[in-house]
Amino acid sequence: LGEGVRRLTLTGPGLRSFERVGPDEYFGLVMPKGPLVLPDPERRDVRAAVADIDEAHRPDLRWYTIRAHRPETGEIDVDVVTHGDSGPGSAWVTRAKVGDPAGFVSGGALYRGDDVSGPQLLVVDETAVPGLLAVLDDRARRGLSGAVEPVAAAGADGAEHPAAKILGDSGAYLG
């Protein structure tokens, strides 16, 4: 893990039976501001369910990608890009200690390239790198290659900003 990234390991008995639907599985991390209050699990719109919680007890909700899942121990790892206290997720994650309570709300997966064996171009910003790495891990498990190469790109302001070159099966630069 690099600077500005923190790995959280979440544990709970429900994570033993949790089944991922894709390599870039995302979930809602419910971060309490006091005692943990979870949204109504029967509500399909998690954001609305959180918004309906009384403001005095309303937790923060942010979406993250599962980096690893160990059902035998009821654990998941999530790598979070942190940027100080500039957002509720980053602020909570940078202060979280072992044993702090949090909630897990199942989300889904967006990557639809499972049936593609050839080169693919996947472009992400720094916050999506954990999801990209999960996709690359899945490709490796299926005997397919892939790589990430960080690069800098000039922004509209003329300054260089981090970017990435993604290498496909041939090792050739695709983007």
Side-chain angles (χ1 to χ4, degrees), residues 126-168:
E126 67 181 1
T127 64
V129 168
L132 173 63
L133 293 174
V135 168
L136 291 176
D137 285 350
D138 179 68
R139 286 179 57 87
R141 277 191 293 279
R142 296 185 291 128
L144 303 171
S145 64
V148 176
E149 183 177 332
V151 297
D157 59 2
E160 289 203 347
H161 300 278
K165 285 194 277 186
I166 297 165
L167 304 176

Side-chain angles (χ1 to χ4, degrees), residues 5-174:
V5 179
R6 182 157 188 212
R7 175 165 289 164
L8 297 178
T9 297
L10 306 175
T11 62
L15 296 175
R16 290 179 183 270
S17 59
F18 174 72
E19 293 185 28
R20 293 173 74 168
V21 297
D24 64 333
E25 182 87 24
Y26 63 90
F27 72 99
L29 179 63
V30 179
M31 300 161 285
K33 296 175 187 170
L36 179 60
V37 177
L38 296 173
D40 180 350
E42 300 300 316
R43 303 263 312 264
R44 291 182 55 90
D45 185 340
V46 177
R47 286 181 180 91
V50 168
D52 287 345
I53 296 172
D54 181 83
E55 189 173 354
H57 304 288
R58 184 179 307 141
D60 286 317
L61 171 70
R62 291 295 181 267
W63 299 91
Y64 296 103
T65 303
I66 295 172
R67 188 68 181 90
H69 178 217
R70 292 177 298 284
E72 66 280 359
T73 58
E75 296 177 332
I76 63 165
D77 292 335
V78 56
D79 295 341
V80 178
V81 175
T82 59
H83 37 267
D85 285 341
S86 65
S90 180
W92 187 88
V93 166
T94 57
R95 288 192 295 271
K97 305 280 186 273
V98 173
D100 284 355
F104 177 94
V105 179
S106 184
L110 299 173
Y111 177 69
R112 298 293 180 254
D114 291 338
D115 58 349
V116 177
S117 61
Q120 298 176 12
L121 174 62
L122 305 173
V123 179
V124 303
D125 70 1
E126 67 181 1
T127 64
V129 168
L132 173 63
L133 293 174
V135 168
L136 291 176
D137 285 350
D138 179 68
R139 286 179 57 87
R141 277 191 293 279
R142 296 185 291 128
L144 303 171
S145 64
V148 176
E149 183 177 332
V151 297
D157 59 2
E160 289 203 347
H161 300 278
K165 285 194 277 186
I166 297 165
L167 304 176
D169 290 348
S170 66
Y173 172 56
L174 298 177

